[in-house]
Amino acid sequence: MALIVQKFGGTSVGSIERIRAVAERVQTRHRAGNGVVVVVSAMSGETDRLLQMAKAISSQPNPRELDALLSTGEQVTIALLGMALHSVGQEAISFTGAQVPIETDSAHTKARIERIEGGRIRQALETGKVVIVAGFQGITAEGDITTLGRGGSDTTAVALAAALGADECEIYTDVDGIYTTDPRVEPRARRLDRITFEEMLEMASLGAKVLQTRSVEFAMNYHVPVRVLSSFAEGPGTLVTNEENAMEAPRVSGIAFSRNEAKITVVAVPDRPGIAHAILGPISAANINVDVILQNVSEEGKTDFTFTVERNDFGRAMAILGDVARHLGAQDVLGDTEIVKVSAVGVGMRSHAGIAATMFEALARENINIQMISTSEIKISVVIAEKYLELAVRTLHRAFGLEQGAST
Ligand code: ADP
Ligand code: ASP
Ligand code: MG
């Protein structure tokens, strides 16, 4: 008997009708002789609605209470799916993260899974039940409810598949696989039959929200085959798997982008040892991630120090830097929240030169100004003004021959 973990995202459980459709799909799989563990997200829009209510009460809601609130979305869908399965005569039992339990650290709103106790799930599977688990949530050793960061149900599913030794983890969503870029931005994007863990990890961490980054890390580390599929249409989807032959890989496999970016410049700080630490130390102490960093050439012993943070951390970062800048004798602190990061990703970059040149030339032709650049072995990212996002994504998608029908 194969054990399958199936995860259904927010749109897939977005209405009672859709929850019934999920129940049918799950039952068919179970009747075919498989053990089935189902992970569900909150109904689409629900997590945002809860978040808005919290923000209406406080601009910085207490993280522990916020997690208690946000986790309710998934508690609703597991119970409803349980009822839907019962109503078609399928035995099933639902568990919250705490009931499994899925143990996490105590970093509220971005907790990491530390351990999954699979005993209760295995017992239920042995008695022929479908097991339904709430995505996106866990519990600390102290018994507090945590959430895993936006998109965290993907991670719940892959972590469960790893812990239970499942044969495959299927991620059902509102697109029929992983595309060369977000098909909502570039309708000519092409579905990939396969993508390597490494590329998907890079795409996810650069903003492609089709899979949460942590879920790809889990899949890679525990060798869980992951398939991304549509919950509305039949099709092979995209298999996320090990690298095969990188020499044959296209130079660029995909274009990712992130709107969750903000840029901060500390203007005219003294150019001396310790400045980067003086500026970024307090930022990282506040648990704010710094991404692209740019330090300009010094003029008369002064330099501008620029870096990006997630847009939702921008307010906190600016507040911290006010004090730091005064202390350092900087001239000013400038912030810009209307920037985005667009990246080209591909393991084939390792064996091809000239990718950066192609990228910069294509953007220049469209008169898109590059504000910052960052590269790694398999990606090149540029920071640009937000108003150019769509144009930049389509331009790069075309420049690297990624459209449907193009030969790569
Ligand atoms: P779910 O609620 O099922 O978890 P998400 O909204 O989190 O769904 O993720 C699916 C969405 O990811 C798609 O609707 C699509 O707009 C977006 N997306 C971004 N980049 C890609 C990509 N490269 N391939 C496919 N989808 C992508
Ligand atoms: N409901 C959560 C979110 O909207 C988790 C998820 O859908 O994966 O981010
Ligand atoms: Mg998602």
Side-chain angles (χ1 to χ4, degrees), residues 193-199 239-249 347 350:
D193 286 327
R194 311 164 80 89
I195 186 168
T196 66
F197 285 126
E198 216 182 348
E199 282 172 322
L239 184 66
V240 190
T241 180
N242 282 315
E243 188 164 333
E244 282 165 13
N245 189 346
M247 289 304 286
E248 284 171 13
V347 287
R350 289 202 187 104

Side-chain angles (χ1 to χ4, degrees), residues 4-266:
I4 313 288
V5 175
Q6 300 189 311
K7 178 253 169 179
F8 293 88
T11 327
S12 313
V13 292
S15 66
I16 297 301
E17 236 165 57
R18 286 184 174 173
I19 290 175
R20 284 192 202 279
V22 168
E24 250 170 59
R25 198 183 262 274
V26 167
Q27 188 180 38
T28 306
R29 205 50 182 271
H30 187 262
R31 284 198 171 150
N34 301 291
V36 185
V37 175
V38 191
V39 174
V40 282
S41 293
M43 293 169 89
S44 59
E46 178 62 8
T47 309
D48 286 331
R49 191 184 72 86
L50 295 167
L51 201 54
Q52 271 165 19
M53 284 200 288
K55 290 270 160 79
I57 288 193
S58 158
S59 62
Q60 306 231 346
N62 175 284
R64 180 182 177 278
E65 306 309 324
L66 187 58
D67 274 352
L69 178 72
L70 294 186
S71 65
T72 61
E74 273 73 10
Q75 188 165 344
V76 169
T77 43
I78 56 166
L80 290 175
L81 180 59
M83 294 170 198
L85 282 163
H86 296 159
S87 73
V88 293
Q90 174 62 54
E91 279 197 272
I93 181 166
S94 76
F95 297 123
T96 62
Q99 285 173 317
V100 172
I102 296 176
E103 289 173 19
T104 72
D105 63 17
S106 55
H108 283 288
T109 75
K110 42 183 151 186
R112 285 173 164 257
I113 296 176
E114 287 182 334
R115 212 175 68 89
I116 294 180
E117 174 54 57
R120 234 182 136 181
I121 294 181
R122 281 200 192 90
Q123 256 177 18
L125 286 171
E126 275 160 23
T127 61
K129 290 193 174 83
V130 164
V131 174
I132 309 160
V133 178
F136 177 56
Q137 56 179 261
I139 188 152
T140 66
E142 291 75 40
D144 289 323
I145 295 172
T146 52
T147 63
L148 310 179
R150 298 308 302 268
S153 299
D154 298 330
T155 300
T156 306
V158 179
L160 269 173
L164 299 168
D167 296 280
E168 189 162 294
C169 181
E170 300 173 343
I171 307 283
Y172 288 90
T173 182
D174 54 7
V175 276
D176 64 346
I178 296 163
Y179 277 69
T180 46
T181 193
D182 189 340
R184 287 179 208 269
V185 169
E186 172 51 284
R188 300 187 65 194
R190 192 161 40 86
R191 184 182 57 78
L192 301 164
D193 286 327
R194 311 164 80 89
I195 186 168
T196 66
F197 285 126
E198 216 182 348
E199 282 172 322
M200 192 57 230
L201 189 60
E202 202 77 53
M203 290 274 280
S205 70
L206 294 168
K209 69 169 186 163
V210 60
L211 286 176
Q212 198 198 32
T213 308
R214 284 282 291 148
S215 75
V216 189
E217 278 172 9
F218 262 106
M220 196 161 156
N221 294 340
Y222 294 94
H223 307 285
V224 180
V226 171
R227 193 179 285 278
V228 175
L229 302 140
S230 163
S231 41
F232 307 114
E234 295 299 319
T238 301
L239 184 66
V240 190
T241 180
N242 282 315
E243 188 164 333
E244 282 165 13
N245 189 346
M247 289 304 286
E248 284 171 13
R251 296 176 307 158
V252 170
S253 310
I255 308 295
F257 59 83
S258 163
R259 290 190 172 90
N260 186 17
E261 306 285 330
K263 185 177 79 169
I264 297 174
T265 301
V266 187

Side-chain angles (χ1 to χ4, degrees), residues 292-308:
V292 187
I293 302 173
L294 185 75
Q295 191 177 346
N296 297 336
V297 178
S298 144
E299 262 180 60
E300 293 163 15
K302 301 267 185 180
T303 182
D304 291 350
F305 191 93
T306 304
F307 60 96
T308 62

